[in-house]
Amino acid sequence: MTTRTSPCVRNLYLPIFASLFTAIITQLFIAAPAQAICEYQGQTYETGDTVGPYVCMPDGSWQPQ
């Protein structure tokens, strides 16, 4: 004897799974690496900006090129 799920019960699960799937995919697309801000002589610079021989690193420090 096989047990079958009624169509009404299956239709209840669809919105739950769809909303969970949408929430997970949204988090994957929205999540982005943090951008550090480096300061040099009172001015702010974003990650990857260069000032002279130094590059602003993701941790907010200046490193030689």
Side-chain angles (χ1 to χ4, degrees):
M1 181 173 168
T2 59
T3 313
R4 295 184 180 229
T5 306
S6 73
C8 292
V9 173
R10 277 187 260 151
N11 289 339
L12 289 175
Y13 289 128
L14 182 62
I16 294 170
F17 289 128
S19 62
L20 287 174
F21 179 76
T22 303
I24 291 169
I25 295 300
T26 302
Q27 289 298 316
L28 290 175
F29 284 116
I30 290 177
Q35 293 289 317
I37 295 177
C38 301
E39 292 188 21
Y40 181 75
Q41 293 183 349
Q43 294 185 1
T44 57
Y45 297 90
E46 303 242 351
T47 302
D49 288 347
T50 58
V51 174
Y54 297 102
V55 178
C56 177
M57 302 305 289
D59 65 355
S61 66
W62 291 97
Q63 299 293 323
Q65 289 183 352

